[in-house]
C-alpha cells in the first residue's frame, strides 16, 4: 500500500459513499480509475458538471447489445412530458427491453413511480394486472438490500 500509485475500481455502484470517502482519505496520492457500465447518478452528475473526467468506450464488448441513455430535464405534469415518457416506455417494452428511470432525489421517487405506473396503465401493458396494480420496482440507498431489489427485477 505504501507504493500504490493507481487503484482500479470496477463496478463503482457496488461501493457506498462511506467506503469511497474512506478510500480517498487513506490513499491521498493515489490515482483512481473507476469503471462503470451504468454510472450512478452522483457520478454522472459530477461528470456532466466537469468535476470528474470521463472516457467512453465507443464499442460494446463482443456479444453485448446496445444501450441508449437519455438525459433530459423533467417537467412533471406537462402533457408533452408525460407523452414523452409513455412513448419511451412503449418503444422499449415493445421490443422486450427494460426501462430504468433515475430520480435524483429520494423525496421525489413516489411521484415518479406514480407517473411511470400511469404511463404503463395507458399502454395496457402486461405489467398491469387485473386489479390495476403495476409492477414497478424502486431501489435507493435507504432501501435495505437495494441491489437485491434491482437484481430480482432484472431476472
Amino acid at each position: 500500500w505504501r507504493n500504490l500509485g493507481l487503484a482500479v475500481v470496477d463496478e463503482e455502484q457496488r461501493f457506498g459513499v462511506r467506503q469511497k470517502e474512506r478510500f480517498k482519505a487513506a490513499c491521498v496520492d493515489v490515482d483512481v480509475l473507476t469503471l462503470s457500465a451504468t454510472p450512478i447518478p452522483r457520478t454522472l452528475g459530477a461528470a456532466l458538471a466537469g468535476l470528474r473526467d470521463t472516457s467512453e468506450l465507443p464499442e460494446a464488448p463482443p456479444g453485448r447489445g446496445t444501450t441508449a441513455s437519455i438525459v433530459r430535464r423533467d417537467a412533471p405534469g406537462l402533457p408533452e412530458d408525460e407523452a414523452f415518457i409513455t412513448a419511451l416506455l412503449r418503444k422499449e417494452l415493445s421490443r422486450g427491453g427494460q426501462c430504468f428511470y433515475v430520480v435524483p432525489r429520494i423525496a421525489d421517487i413516489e411521484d415518479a413511480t406514480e407517473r411511470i405506473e400511469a404511463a404503463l396503465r395507458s399502454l395496457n401493458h402486461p405489467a398491469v394486472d387485473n386489479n390495476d396494480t403495476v409492477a414497478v420496482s424502486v431501489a435507493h440507498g435507504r432501501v435495505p438490500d437495494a441491489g437485491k431489489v434491482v437484481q430480482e427485477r432484472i431476472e
Side-chain angles (χ1 to χ4, degrees), residues 27-114:
C27 303
V28 178
D29 293 325
V30 177
D31 291 318
V32 179
L33 174 62
T34 305
L35 307 173
S36 181
T38 53
I40 57 177
R42 182 179 296 113
T43 302
L44 182 59
L48 293 173
L51 302 173
R52 194 167 186 166
D53 294 330
T54 61
S55 295
E56 182 180 331
L57 299 177
E59 296 180 20
R64 185 84 186 260
T66 58
T67 300
S69 296
I70 298 171
V71 178
R72 173 187 158 119
R73 183 171 300 276
D74 198 16
L78 289 179
E80 60 270 18
D81 202 60
E82 303 308 318
F84 180 76
I85 290 171
T86 302
L88 286 176
L89 287 169
R90 177 184 299 114
K91 179 181 177 186
E92 187 60 23
L93 296 173
S94 69
R95 67 174 201 85
Q98 299 173 337
C99 299
F100 295 89
Y101 189 88
V102 178
V103 181
R105 291 179 196 86
I106 292 174
D108 297 336
I109 289 176
E110 189 174 329
D111 290 340
T113 302
E114 290 173 7

